[in-house]
Amino acid sequence: MIEHLLPEQIEQRSFEIIDGELKKRGIVLPKEQEMITKRVIHTTADFEYTDTLTFSEGAVGIARELLKKGADIVTDTNMALSGINKRSLAGLGGEVHCYMADETVAKLARERGTTRAAVSMEIAAKIQKPVIFAVGNAPTALIQIYEMMQGSDWRPAFVIGVPVGFVNVEAAKELILQTDVPFIINRGRKGGSNVAAAIVNVLMRKIGVRTQKRAMIATMVCSVVLVTLLGTLAGANAVIAPIVIPLVAAVGITPSALAVIFQGAGQTGLF
């Protein structure tokens, strides 16, 4: 039977179905991991992830703390690059990188007889800040990360390892599971760039909400103070708007929402 739903109701209904299926199967997910596993199921319609998605101890909290402090993300496909919410990441001070289409990477891979994914990981290891590696396609990316760890003191801050396929996929994931690096790994052959992007986005979600709230509160306070000091709403907004607009845009606050904040806070300051 076709369900007639509004567009904004479809996702909510999907999660209701997922919750029902989990209950029917007698599956209770660990609280910390619940939203990530459900989001991956939502992305793939595959409940096998409840068995295969593997988290190191405290993985979700560690990843969120890294993101909160502005960690960058490196991925092995442009598809994952496109799927990751770059505005939310920028609002946290991070940036997402994918070197797969870089001509230098392609040239080095040909010369060495290796994959572009492997060379990309070498380049990414030079980034001078904490990096979360989100691998959704190439097992050679995970193998390269593991080999660099064995050959030096370098360590990635976090690894999301969900490549999909048949050749070396399972073995590459198992290598990362042997390390002391915090991880979210999907055991077995399944995964994909869409899964990698989904995991990153859900990790950022609650952080982004808190960041937006902090930005809104800071904007309101600044507006109230300036209006009180200057005695004019228009004058205060003229001072603060050029500074605030690009900052709040980075955390997803729209100009129309900002205008409402200015108006409300400004009127408060005039009383």
Side-chain angles (χ1 to χ4, degrees):
M1 183 177 69
I2 299 296
E3 294 186 60
H4 298 283
L5 300 169
L6 295 173
E8 61 271 19
Q9 296 174 321
I10 294 172
E11 182 174 288
Q12 179 183 338
R13 178 64 183 130
S14 296
F15 278 98
E16 288 172 357
I17 293 169
I18 290 169
D19 286 339
E21 284 279 334
L22 290 172
K23 188 175 181 180
K24 192 185 300 182
R25 295 164 186 245
I27 297 171
V28 179
L29 299 169
K31 194 66 180 173
E32 184 190 51
Q33 304 165 12
E34 181 179 10
M35 199 58 237
I36 291 175
T37 304
K38 286 182 179 178
R39 178 59 65 177
V40 171
I41 293 169
H42 178 262
T43 302
T44 61
D46 189 343
F47 283 85
E48 191 175 310
Y49 282 96
T50 61
D51 293 323
T52 57
L53 205 55
T54 306
F55 299 74
S56 62
E57 185 175 353
V60 175
I62 292 168
R64 283 189 166 144
E65 193 62 30
L66 286 165
L67 289 165
K68 196 187 299 184
K69 291 180 178 178
D72 278 5
I73 295 169
V74 169
T75 185
D76 64 327
T77 66
N78 283 307
M79 179 180 173
L81 174 71
S82 298
I84 290 170
N85 189 325
K86 287 170 277 296
R87 175 178 281 187
S88 293
L89 186 61
L92 298 170
E95 186 179 353
V96 60
H97 310 270
C98 180
Y99 302 107
M100 294 294 287
D102 191 285
E103 290 184 9
T104 302
V105 169
K107 181 174 181 292
L108 286 172
R110 284 195 302 271
E111 289 174 354
R112 298 180 187 177
T114 188
T115 66
R116 285 180 294 167
V119 176
S120 291
M121 298 304 107
E122 281 187 38
I123 292 172
K126 297 175 183 176
I127 296 174
Q128 296 299 306
K129 64 184 299 191
V131 174
I132 295 173
F133 287 81
V135 178
N137 182 68
T140 53
L142 292 183
I143 294 168
Q144 184 64 38
I145 290 170
Y146 177 80
E147 290 181 348
M148 288 190 295
M149 290 171 61
Q150 299 308 300
S152 69
D153 293 331
W154 175 83
R155 291 289 183 277
F158 198 94
V159 175
I160 297 169
V162 290
V164 59
F166 298 96
V167 179
N168 292 329
V169 168
E170 294 173 274
K173 293 172 181 178
E174 293 298 322
L175 288 177
I176 302 301
L177 290 170
Q178 296 171 19
T179 70
D180 58 358
V181 170
F183 60 75
I184 299 174
I185 299 286
N186 189 58
R187 280 190 152 111
R189 294 172 172 174
K190 294 180 180 180
S193 298
N194 57 337
V195 174
I199 291 172
V200 171
N201 288 336
V202 77
L203 284 169
M204 287 192 290
R205 182 158 294 178
K206 288 186 178 180
I207 303 170
V209 170
R210 289 196 293 269
T211 302
Q212 280 190 350
K213 286 181 178 177
R214 286 197 295 267
M216 291 169 69
I217 292 168
T219 301
M220 291 171 68
V221 171
C222 289
S223 183
V224 169
V225 170
L226 277 173
V227 169
T228 303
L229 290 173
L230 298 177
T232 165
L233 178 60
N237 287 348
V239 172
I240 196 173
I243 301 168
V244 170
I245 288 173
L247 296 176
V248 299
V251 297
I253 298 176
T254 63
S256 57
L258 184 61
V260 172
I261 294 169
F262 279 154
Q263 185 69 25
Q267 288 177 348
T268 301
L270 289 172
F271 283 106

